[in-house]
Amino acid sequence: MHRELVYKFSFFNSREQIRGSSRNLIRTPFYVTEQFRSEVAAKKGRLFRRAKVGKQASKCALVSYDTLYIGSRQIKDA
């Protein structure tokens, strides 16, 4: 039986402690992921596609929450 649990943390440090401990779940059927609003998730999908193009151009590309950075520049629109 599969049961998904969703937790909301009051403090950032608590959330990061759990996310950091998730590496202990390697080789188990359990995992930890972040859940984003649907608008943010859709924007992240578009940003990851653009980041892939940036990486192919031999540039460093990073997606942080809902912002794309290529090289050291922040890309405004998605």
Side-chain angles (χ1 to χ4, degrees):
M1 180 176 171
H2 173 75
R3 188 170 73 181
E4 186 175 308
L5 302 174
V6 177
Y7 289 92
K8 182 175 181 178
F9 295 97
S10 298
F11 300 103
F12 179 77
N13 286 341
S14 300
R15 184 191 80 164
E16 290 304 303
Q17 183 179 9
I18 296 299
R19 288 185 62 223
S21 298
S22 67
R23 68 177 165 266
N24 296 329
L25 298 175
I26 295 173
R27 291 192 279 298
T28 69
F30 306 104
Y31 58 92
V32 175
T33 61
E34 289 185 88
Q35 182 178 7
F36 296 103
R37 294 182 318 217
S38 59
E39 303 88 37
V40 173
K43 186 174 181 181
K44 282 177 73 87
R46 291 190 306 268
L47 292 176
F48 276 114
R49 286 191 290 277
R50 288 190 65 190
K52 186 175 181 181
V53 172
K55 284 184 180 183
Q56 289 174 347
S58 299
K59 295 182 180 178
C60 178
L62 169 72
V63 175
S64 176
Y65 188 62
D66 63 349
T67 307
L68 173 63
Y69 298 91
I70 295 181
S72 59
R73 284 191 11 222
Q74 177 181 353
I75 307 301
K76 297 284 184 188
D77 60 344

